[in-house]
Amino acid sequence: MTNAQKNMDALIDRVTADGETPALLIHACCAPCSSYVLEYLSQYFHIIILYYNPNITSPEEYSFRLSEEERLISELPLKNPVRLVKGDYNPELYLKAVKGLEKEPEGGERCSVCFELRLREAAKYCKDLDCDYFLTTLTISPLKNAEKINSIGEKIAEEYGVRYLPSDFKKKNGYKRSIELSREYDLYRQNYCGCVFSRDKLDKQTLI
């Protein structure tokens, strides 16, 4: 298995040695997951945050998570400026993409389709905005398979002719640091990924 974090560190070493500050498009799923990623990578890149999450099937939940992302960017001290781009919010697109996979377990094929939907949009923005690389904050979650996410990202990058930067932000205490930053900035930490299926599963567990 490829050590994504080690490869990222090697890339950063090369970039730093050359005195470059490449442009990086980051797909952000939420503010808590973005916190450590921004703190870490804003030292080395000019960053564009893409907030694109049609899997969040509640408009109120979507808007609140977006507002938290905006607040984090405005309050977090960052070496290089960070620009936020808001993707289209179309939950019907997500529901159509996962049709027939409604009963899949969390982490299964339905989630893979969701990862691909969001990473494909990130690749489009990466190309349109002429960024050097793109990646996603999704790999910071201990509940998500970084190897699967990176495999999807690399496949899509090849299709679009852009460069995907594999990551595993759980490494080097990244997840732990995201919790610390969430507390420090009083960020909303949701207890489900965003889709109606994970929310319903949570509701059933609560009832039990």
Side-chain angles (χ1 to χ4, degrees):
M1 181 172 61
T2 303
N3 188 326
Q5 186 59 48
K6 185 175 179 181
N7 290 344
M8 180 181 290
D9 289 341
L11 171 66
I12 288 172
D13 286 343
R14 292 198 303 273
V15 166
T16 304
D18 293 339
E20 299 175 14
T21 309
L24 173 65
L25 184 129
I26 299 178
H27 163 260
C29 56
C30 64
C33 290
S34 301
S35 59
Y36 164 72
V37 176
L38 283 174
E39 181 184 65
Y40 169 39
L41 293 180
S42 69
Q43 304 172 70
Y44 313 107
F45 298 94
H46 291 300
I47 291 175
I48 296 175
I49 285 280
L50 171 65
Y51 186 83
Y52 176 73
N53 299 290
N55 58 303
I56 303 176
T57 39
S58 160
E60 296 78 15
E61 181 77 14
Y62 179 90
S63 296
F64 187 59
R65 293 192 195 185
L66 173 57
S67 69
E68 287 290 87
E69 187 74 39
E70 291 175 308
R71 182 169 69 85
L72 174 69
I73 292 171
S74 69
E75 295 180 4
L76 196 66
L78 301 167
K79 179 180 178 181
N80 291 304
V82 173
R83 172 187 166 197
L84 175 67
V85 173
K86 302 173 188 178
D88 292 336
Y89 177 50
N90 184 358
E92 290 303 318
L93 181 67
Y94 164 76
L95 292 172
K96 182 179 179 180
V98 300
K99 187 173 179 59
L101 301 171
E102 294 87 350
K103 295 184 178 180
E104 280 284 304
E106 288 296 296
E109 182 59 25
R110 187 181 66 245
C111 292
S112 294
V113 170
C114 180
F115 298 154
E116 179 162 351
L117 180 67
R118 290 186 278 176
L119 284 168
R120 188 170 292 280
E121 191 72 2
K124 290 179 185 177
Y125 271 89
C126 179
K127 187 166 188 174
D128 290 346
L129 298 175
D130 199 26
C131 293
D132 296 289
Y133 304 95
F134 79 100
L135 56 74
T136 178
T137 61
L138 287 166
T139 65
I140 201 169
S141 170
L143 300 177
K144 291 181 171 59
N145 186 323
E147 188 175 17
K148 178 183 290 185
I149 293 168
N150 289 330
S151 176
I152 293 170
E154 289 174 332
K155 179 193 76 172
I156 291 171
E158 188 173 347
E159 290 179 28
Y160 284 86
V162 293
R163 289 183 288 185
Y164 175 77
L165 190 52
S167 66
D168 191 349
F169 293 117
K170 293 183 287 294
K171 304 290 187 181
K172 300 173 67 175
N173 289 319
Y175 179 67
K176 179 183 177 182
R177 179 58 180 156
S178 75
I179 293 174
E180 293 171 352
L181 288 167
S182 295
R183 288 173 180 160
E184 182 178 345
Y185 289 90
D186 193 27
L187 297 175
Y188 166 58
R189 290 186 64 85
Q190 64 277 358
N191 55 3
Y192 71 104
C193 82
C195 73
V196 64
F197 311 109
S198 61
R199 186 189 65 195
D200 288 350
K201 181 181 178 182
L202 179 70
D203 291 341
K204 289 175 183 177
Q205 289 174 338
T206 304
L207 289 172
I208 292 171

